[in-house]
Amino acid sequence: MSITASMVKELRDKTAAGMMDCKKALTECDGDMAKAVDWLRQKGLSKAAKKAGRATSEGLIGCAAAADGRSAVMIEVKCETDFVARGDMFKDFVKHMTDQIASSCPDSLETLLSAPSVADPSRTVQDSLNDAIATIGENIVLGRFCKKALPEGANGLIGTYLHFNGKIAVLLELEAETAEAASSEAFRELAANLSMQVAASSPLAVTSETLDPALIEREREVYRQKARAEGKPDAIIDRIADGAVKKYFKEVCLADQAYFRDDKMTVADLVKSVSKTLGAKIAIKSMTRLQLGAE
């Protein structure tokens, strides 16, 4: 009997076994779906399906930068227990998935799972995931991922930070006006410190100009209502709300935050100071913070 791609997909959906294993099972069982499911179970290849519904609240974030510092990636890989997350097999799988993101740069989880594995191009990432689930013995889920790269011809660096517990990672795009400034030790140190700042303070935007206007208006309205409830005169309510919003910017906008190594200066002050030292303008272009399990 001819084994079609749709039959292989159906069996794969039922068992979470690898594509090649599903095709072999259908071939061995002459296309009988029920027998193919049992064949996979007998071979221990459908273990992943039994674990697929189990909660994954632990795990690690993989993070790596290219040797030239012009690109970097991170990915969230979740498992069931901290015991497994600390194990070498799980750590190896996280590294494999980090390498996968760096190599294939997928645009969605579906694209990632269907991509050929960098370790074995004859198999998919989904196959590798199923293998890891069967070997490690826990449900494993690939979560959010990100890749940042400098634009062609731009001078700069992708700063990275991975917290010691492996549960918080940051990618930060920093650009300089000149190649000389971008290659300096002071610039690299700035990228590292700003990445740590983002990890520690969890800003929502680089500047107030890039903060979601809806968030700003919501914050402003909260303080308008609070001022009214306190009996403040209508003529000063907007002024009170504007002042509160400026304080809000200092909490959630990276440039306005107090620098974590010296709270007498803001991050914007720090960037200006390093720019002056290097004789070249420096700009924080973007940042992404990933915390395991957080929205």
Side-chain angles (χ1 to χ4, degrees), residues 172 194 197-198 201 203-207 249 251-258 266-268 284 287:
L172 182 137
L194 291 178
Q197 173 88 23
V198 173
S201 61
L204 300 179
V206 174
T207 66
F249 290 159
E251 296 174 7
V252 302
C253 298
L254 177 61
D256 295 326
Q257 288 180 341
T266 65
V267 167
I284 306 168
M287 61 178 185

Side-chain angles (χ1 to χ4, degrees), residues 157-175:
L157 183 69
I158 303 297
T160 64
Y161 176 76
L162 180 63
H163 198 53
F164 70 89
N165 64 5
K167 298 182 187 299
I168 298 174
V170 172
L171 303 184
L172 182 137
E173 181 185 354
L174 193 65
E175 284 191 2

